[in-house]
């Protein structure tokens, strides 16, 4: 996720989430969430090398904003996988 700086209220911030299985085995039960905007995507599984993008556009708001994207999934051996990334924008 990347941040965006906006100088006009006519623009709305867009957040792009990229989910990729960089491993060599499938993953399942994938949940992508955002700390402000909630559930972004639920995927049943991804094959090795597979990548999907999700884009949301949100209302402009004054001030500095921070979001945390989080991903939870299950590895082939049943272990839990997690990842997170921060994004910022100033409106």
């Amino acid at each position: 996720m990347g941040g965006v700086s906006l100088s006009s209220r006519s623009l709305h911030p867009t957040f792009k989430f990229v989910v990729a299985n960089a491993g060599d085995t499938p993953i399942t039960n994938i949940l992508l969430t955002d700390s402000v905007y909630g559930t972004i995507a639920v995927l049943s599984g991804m094959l090795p090398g597979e990548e999907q993008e999700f884009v949301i556009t949100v209302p402009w708001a004054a001030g500095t904003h921070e979001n945390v994207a989080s991903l939870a999934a299950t590895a082939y051996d049943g272990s839990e996988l997690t990842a997170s990334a921060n994004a910022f924008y100033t409106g």
Side-chain angles (χ1 to χ4, degrees):
M1 265 176 68
V4 141
S5 180
L6 303 174
S7 61
S8 170
R9 291 183 185 185
S10 65
L11 299 176
H12 297 289
T14 298
F15 294 96
K16 178 174 151 181
F17 304 81
V18 179
V19 179
N21 181 355
D24 58 2
T25 60
I27 58 176
T28 58
N29 304 319
I30 303 158
L31 175 63
L32 174 62
T33 59
D34 179 273
S35 61
V36 175
Y37 301 107
T39 299
I40 304 301
V42 177
L43 305 170
S44 59
M46 293 180 77
L47 297 173
E50 188 176 355
E51 180 176 295
Q52 293 194 36
E53 293 183 3
F54 304 92
V55 176
I56 63 170
T57 301
V58 300
W60 182 93
T64 301
H65 305 273
E66 177 181 4
N67 299 50
V68 179
S70 299
L71 182 117
T74 305
Y76 73 97
D77 64 359
S79 62
E80 291 299 313
L81 305 171
T82 60
S84 64
N86 294 5
F88 306 88
Y89 87 88
T90 301

